[in-house]
Amino acid sequence: MHLRHILIIFTLASCWSTVSGVDLAEARKRLGTPDPATIPWPDGVPPSQALVDLGRTLFFDRRLSAKQNQSCASCHNPELGLSDGLALGIGTNGNRVGRNAPHLYNLAWSTVLYWDGRMTNMDEQATKPIQSKSQMAMDLGELEARLRGVAAYRTAFHSIFGDPAAPADGSAITRERLGQAIAAFERTLVSRDSAFDRHLAGAKDALMPEAVRGLDLFLGKANCIACHSGPNFTDDSFHNIGVKSADAGRAAIVPGALAQNAFRTPGLRNIALTAPYMHDGSIPTLEAVVRFYARGGDAPTPDTLVRKIDLSEGDIRDLIAFLSALSDPLRIPIPAVP
Amino acid sequence: MFTGLPSFRSVARCPAGGLLLLALPVAATAATVEGTFTFTKLTPSVALVYLPEDTGALPQEVAISHKNKAFTPRLAVGAPGSAVLFRNEDTAQYNIFAEDKELKISFDAGISEPGSSVEQKVTWPEGTVLRCGCKVHPAMEVYIAALRSRFVATVEFAPGQKTASFSIPDVPTGATLVRVWTPRQPATDLKATPSAILDFTHKGATYGSVAVTIKP
């Protein structure tokens, strides 16, 4: 009886123990499950379901590309973790794009978009890939005309944006509203029911022991939390972690020593689904990512958060187990494109 | 300008902590500006309220610290010529900068190591507000208002906060002109005689307001 009490106390104490001077219980508070009630909606309130549905349809519509051969979902494919499985994706004209297609999970909270953060407004961002020569290479004026030729879009845009007294003649279809609709859909891509979230909610058997040890490493010795923090595992900041690459990254937007070769910290939700990794897709697997961090990166960096980490083979396995426990692939209904 | 107001009298809070010698008539008493911001949505990060007619503030040192990807304070005020001192109180590195084409300000403090400080003079015009940030922590922002007014209230909203009250004590009796600024809209003047209300609108819809009263 006494022994048992002592054991319980001992176990509790070891839960709260520190790894390399880090208070793990305290560090845990720097992660969490995202709360959709805190999404900063552009109008201060959530969009209508009709707008989200319209955005979803547009996201899957190949009319958005010049050759009508790819949609947003070609490169942000729900079956591939809202990415494309390629190091560098392929545009409407069969060309390679310049960077790895990021996943789009939990971007609703993001204060910056793209690997270099050159955009901040998701409504405005949504029409950029359409116009990008290397991506969908489509003129927005032409696209408006193309969509006005589709009865279902005339009706949908009219009923959401149009004057009820006016006819649904397609005049309600504009590039700004197109962006608004797609962004409204993108903000609903919230992943928040992974094994890790169930663990946080108190489910005792949600995480394998390997993943629990991996979490402790993530917070402690490996110090991944220094950058991958918050409910979406990103500090929404830019770091040069020492990926060998000629890409200036953030410095092309705001030149500066710390911005040189720095990229936005990607969120890690569903990360096991979105290989290959990094802005150039140069690291093929999670194992290779963890080994990359263990050796302190491949190129010199002024960022003092990047350093060699002494990880055993077991530690590497445990970190991968934890990263894989962040998976909650959303079931995204594939719309019938008109 | 207040110089045109014969009844100007104030036991002003001197933000500079220095000595203020004012030619003040003896008889006047002080009033207080009081007010409340209320937002239904789209609460701004900060708000500034001041009496634009006063010109008594002197250059001073304005301390702004940064830690955990945030500035403290998030809205600072300094008379033109003041020295703004950015202090890195974190264990992480920062790269403080400002880039404002309209105000013609472009400064890059470079890598700021933990514990270090950098200084920037308030060189932008009186009555304007400069936004400073960090090149690698884009969510960080601090607004620095160049004001000669000594009668200023700064308000900082926490995420989700809907209302905030403020007061500016010891303002000169007879003052009625109050200026309100938030990052989302240009500075707006109110005549508080003794009260006034300003609505904040976005796409034609009101999302908040500020009510201001000057109490004798």
Side-chain angles (χ1 to χ4, degrees):
Chain A
M1 185 67 184
H2 267 92
L3 183 61
R4 205 198 240 156
H5 270 130
I6 290 164
L7 270 180
I8 289 170
I9 290 166
F10 181 76
T11 325
L12 281 175
S14 62
C15 283
W16 289 324
S17 72
T18 61
V19 173
S20 16
V22 177
D23 182 339
L24 292 178
E26 216 28 62
R28 256 167 193 254
K29 294 184 192 151
R30 299 180 59 194
L31 295 174
T33 296
D35 176 2
T38 62
I39 291 177
W41 304 103
D43 286 337
V45 287
S48 67
Q49 189 57 47
L51 186 65
V52 172
D53 289 342
L54 172 61
R56 178 189 299 111
T57 304
L58 290 165
F59 190 87
F60 284 89
D61 192 337
R62 289 149 41 134
R63 288 187 186 88
L64 269 58
S65 59
K67 299 224 164 125
Q68 307 211 38
N69 59 354
Q70 71 176 178
S71 67
C72 308
S74 304
C75 297
H76 303 289
N77 182 341
E79 309 298 338
L80 290 163
L82 290 172
S83 184
D84 56 9
L86 296 162
L88 301 175
I90 295 163
T92 187
N93 292 316
N95 56 290
R96 290 271 167 193
V97 302
R99 285 180 181 153
N100 179 258
H103 69 72
L104 305 181
Y105 296 107
N106 299 23
L107 280 185
W109 288 271
S110 193
T111 49
V112 273
L113 296 168
Y114 287 130
W115 286 102
D116 53 19
R118 65 186 178 276
M119 295 211 70
T120 54
N121 182 320
M122 202 184 281
D123 293 37
E124 284 169 21
Q125 188 278 335
T127 53
K128 297 295 178 209
I130 302 173
Q131 304 166 76
S132 160
K133 289 274 172 289
S134 72
Q135 299 188 6
M136 304 168 105
M138 182 69 190
D139 178 76
L140 288 180
E142 243 172 85
L143 177 60
E144 286 164 346
R146 205 181 260 180
L147 297 180
R148 280 178 193 140
V150 181
Y153 283 132
R154 288 197 299 271
T155 317
F157 277 88
H158 178 75
S159 71
I160 296 167
F161 299 105
D163 172 0
D169 58 2
S171 59
I173 299 177
T174 66
R175 56 195 74 187
E176 289 80 16
R177 291 165 176 172
L178 182 91
Q180 237 178 297
I182 292 176
F185 162 65
E186 289 175 313
R187 289 193 184 87
T188 65
L189 300 171
V190 176
S191 172
R192 58 192 298 273
D193 190 24
S194 65
F196 171 66
D197 295 299
R198 295 193 293 277
H199 168 79
L200 286 183
K204 295 227 166 19
D205 51 0
L207 282 189
M208 309 240 299
E210 286 83 350
V212 175
R213 287 197 301 268
L215 168 58
D216 287 353
L217 286 164
F218 191 92
L219 302 172
K221 185 163 74 174
N223 198 27
C224 314
I225 186 77
C227 304
H228 296 284
S229 58
N232 296 316
F233 294 80
T234 171
D235 56 2
D236 266 335
S237 302
F238 298 87
H239 300 276
N240 175 350
I241 58 167
V243 174
K244 215 181 258 159
S245 143
D247 193 331
R250 180 66 173 165
I253 313 305
V254 278
L258 263 194
Q260 192 60 40
N261 306 109
F263 296 87
R264 200 190 84 212
T265 308
L268 297 183
R269 289 187 169 273
N270 285 325
I271 200 65
L273 312 178
T274 67
Y277 301 104
M278 306 302 172
H279 68 276
D280 54 0
S282 61
I283 304 191
T285 62
L286 282 182
E287 177 185 351
V289 169
V290 175
R291 290 189 190 280
F292 162 89
Y293 280 112
R295 64 179 177 265
D298 291 335
T301 166
D303 198 318
T304 48
L305 291 170
V306 181
R307 50 180 177 73
K308 265 197 164 93
I309 314 163
D310 181 20
L311 295 178
S312 69
E313 291 300 302
D315 289 344
I316 289 171
R317 180 199 55 208
D318 292 347
L319 267 169
I320 296 167
F322 171 64
L323 293 172
S324 306
L326 303 177
S327 296
D328 163 31
L330 303 176
R331 235 172 272 116
I332 299 165
I334 310 294
V337 172
Chain B
M1 295 289 123
F2 265 132
T3 43
L5 275 181
S7 63
F8 184 15
R9 165 72 164 131
S10 166
V11 274
R13 241 179 346 131
C14 175
L19 189 64
L20 275 185
L21 289 176
L22 301 169
L24 305 173
V26 183
T29 53
T32 302
V33 179
E34 285 183 0
T36 303
F37 286 91
T38 311
F39 292 94
T40 51
K41 55 181 189 182
L42 298 174
T43 307
S45 58
V46 295
L48 178 67
V49 183
Y50 64 100
L51 303 193
E53 290 171 307
D54 181 50
T55 58
L58 298 174
Q60 56 179 306
E61 189 177 290
V62 181
I64 296 173
S65 68
H66 45 98
K67 190 176 178 172
N68 297 331
K69 289 179 285 164
F71 289 106
T72 308
R74 289 182 280 130
L75 173 57
V77 177
S82 295
V84 180
L85 202 65
F86 290 96
R87 239 193 351 254
N88 183 356
E89 294 184 350
D90 207 335
T91 52
Q93 299 160 305
Y94 291 79
N95 192 338
I96 307 302
F97 82 112
E99 191 66 59
D100 192 316
K101 293 206 171 65
E102 230 164 88
L103 300 180
K104 297 196 177 60
I105 297 293
S106 171
F107 90 90
D108 176 0
I111 300 181
S112 133
E113 298 292 346
S116 71
S117 310
V118 288
E119 194 186 284
Q120 167 66 24
K121 280 264 187 305
V122 176
T123 53
W124 48 102
E126 137 78 25
T128 64
V129 185
L130 179 72
R131 179 187 180 278
C132 298
C134 173
K135 290 190 172 185
V136 293
H137 301 99
M140 286 174 70
E141 56 181 16
V142 56
Y143 292 92
I144 308 172
L147 297 184
R148 269 198 284 272
S149 176
R150 290 158 299 164
F151 308 109
V152 182
T154 61
V155 179
E156 298 187 2
F157 293 90
Q161 190 177 338
K162 301 278 191 204
T163 69
S165 296
F166 59 88
S167 83
I168 311 173
D170 304 328
V171 305
T173 302
T176 55
L177 195 64
V178 178
R179 188 167 290 168
V180 176
W181 174 91
T182 63
R184 214 181 243 280
Q185 46 196 67
T188 308
D189 285 347
L190 300 178
K191 273 269 181 221
T193 53
S195 297
I197 290 184
L198 170 68
D199 284 334
F200 297 99
T201 57
H202 171 66
K203 290 185 186 168
T206 299
Y207 64 90
S209 64
V210 58
V212 181
T213 301
I214 301 191
K215 296 197 168 150

